[in-house]
Amino acid sequence: MNTASVPPPPRRLLLTGAAGALGSMLRPRLRVHCEVLRVSDLGGLGEAAPGEEVQAAPLQDRAAMAALLQGVDAVVHLGGVSVEKPWELVRPANIDGLFNLYEGARLAGTRRVVFASSNHAIGAYPQSERLDDRVPTRPDGYYGLSKVFGEQTAQLYWDRYGIETVSLRIGSCFPVPRDHRMLTTWLSYDDLERLVLASLRAPQVGHTIVYGVSNNSRRWWDDAPARRIGYQPLDSADDHTAAVQAAQPVPGPDEAVARYQGGAFMEMGPFEPMESPPAPNNNERGAA
Ligand code: NAI
Ligand code: 15L
């Protein structure tokens, strides 16, 4: 079953979450690496640029997702709830939606997925530990739990159906590090682009988990798996240390942001159960 080989450049590449922070940044950068870039989100995608197809689809809508995957060779999956939220908001996009994405990929014969997992899949580990890609997951909340589900779904679809995935446990991908924790976890926009392209181009990835982080000297995570798929980070949070130290107070040692790898997510919730969850359009982003 597992007969992967060097993938040709995708003819049609699907980018989900294309209206989000990382999606809108990657959209023009990925367009030049495929014949057709299909972009999707709940909305807010604007007009199709040359070489693009625009197709809005709620992740939790099975039929819409099956249609979205039609004719797609490879996917960069960024769509979904991207911060800690009540379970009733996380589940439709990140659990049902993730399943729908892989089912659509199976039905369409899609070869490879690049899945935006998160450091919050291992966010409950203390910052004193150094982690590789084989440590047991320790999510720090419902959002992190949904990323563990995503990684396990990726493994299932490789073992059963030969769909390859690179799961990117992204640290903190922002234009610059925002706080002291991000001097460790930061991933620059340019390095994210490098990591995504390496994930699309690497031969024989099966299901590979890598940490998405720049070349920060303080990093907690083993960068060997990412380098094995050809990722070479060129940026470093070290260059921003002085600016962060000047602008941000050092957190106390008992604060979650200084104790856990996932930072403040570890102390969010529990939330009151929601009887009728609103549509998932209040997906505001936040630093951990
Ligand atoms: P974002 O919140 O800006 O973008 C996510 C996009 O997904 C939004 O445009 C939203 O409309 C869309 N979306 C949400 N629910 C949806 C649904 N039910 N159906 C269809 N689309 C839906 O997040 P950002 O920062 O761009 O992150 C992209 C991905 O990377 C996310 O999966 C996030 O979990 C992951 N990630 C991001 C990190 C970062 O530092 N920015 C760190 C770790 C992981
Ligand atoms: C994430 O997974 C979030 O999507 C992002 O907004 C940040 O909070 C990041 O993790 C982080 O841990 O800094």
Side-chain angles (χ1 to χ4, degrees):
M1 190 63 199
N2 300 346
T3 55
S5 57
V6 180
R11 202 187 86 70
R12 182 177 280 106
L13 176 65
L14 169 64
L15 174 65
T16 69
L22 302 187
S24 54
M25 179 275 294
L26 282 178
R27 180 174 171 175
R29 301 185 190 213
L30 291 180
R31 196 180 300 142
V32 296
H33 295 286
C34 53
E35 282 180 40
V36 179
L37 182 69
R38 181 174 291 173
V39 293
S40 188
D41 205 297
L42 288 169
L45 292 158
E47 295 293 313
E52 282 188 351
E53 297 170 344
V54 170
Q55 195 166 332
L59 289 160
Q60 59 273 34
D61 182 331
R62 175 85 69 93
M65 290 303 289
L68 183 64
L69 270 292
Q70 278 301 311
V72 167
D73 304 301
V75 184
V76 176
H77 181 51
L78 304 183
V81 171
S82 63
V83 291
E84 182 63 353
K85 292 281 183 187
W87 180 246
E88 292 81 357
L89 291 178
V90 171
R91 187 184 59 215
N94 293 18
I95 304 293
D96 298 334
L98 196 288
F99 177 77
N100 292 341
L101 180 96
Y102 274 92
E103 268 300 282
R106 181 181 69 79
L107 293 169
T110 302
R111 295 191 313 267
R112 184 170 293 192
V113 178
V114 180
F115 167 52
S117 184
S118 171
N119 72 88
H120 295 284
I122 46 83
Y125 278 98
Q127 293 184 4
S128 54
E129 293 202 33
R130 300 292 170 267
L131 307 184
D132 64 20
D133 54 319
R134 283 170 296 207
V135 295
T137 51
R138 284 180 72 176
D140 54 21
Y142 305 135
Y143 165 68
L145 183 62
S146 76
K147 294 300 188 182
V148 173
F149 174 82
E151 293 181 1
Q152 290 298 316
T153 305
Q155 185 67 48
L156 174 69
Y157 275 73
W158 165 242
D159 289 332
R160 289 288 304 270
Y161 307 120
I163 298 174
E164 295 195 286
T165 297
V166 182
S167 290
L168 310 179
R169 285 186 185 159
I170 300 172
S172 306
C173 193
F174 294 93
V176 293
R178 294 177 167 185
D179 59 23
H180 288 268
R181 172 178 165 276
M182 289 193 193
L183 293 176
T184 302
T185 59
W186 186 59
L187 175 66
S188 74
Y189 279 5
D190 287 350
D191 280 343
L192 174 65
E193 178 188 358
R194 292 181 188 103
L195 183 57
V196 167
L197 290 177
S199 302
L200 288 169
R201 290 170 176 163
Q204 307 245 341
V205 295
H207 176 224
T208 297
I209 295 172
V210 308
Y211 291 95
V213 68
S214 283
N215 195 26
N216 315 326
S217 54
R218 304 179 185 199
R219 65 185 176 276
W220 301 310
W221 306 316
D222 183 7
D223 62 358
R227 289 184 185 270
R228 270 198 295 274
I229 63 163
Y231 170 59
Q232 292 189 311
L234 295 181
D235 296 321
S236 172
D238 300 10
D239 300 333
H240 302 271
T241 306
V244 168
Q245 285 175 341
Q248 299 290 330
V250 179
D254 293 335
E255 290 183 52
V257 72
R259 291 178 63 195
Y260 300 106
Q261 300 207 357
F265 279 37
M266 190 69 174
E267 288 187 342
M268 293 177 186
F271 305 95
E272 291 299 314
M274 299 170 71
E275 281 181 15
S276 60
N281 59 0
N282 58 345
N283 198 23
E284 75 276 4
R285 309 166 75 240

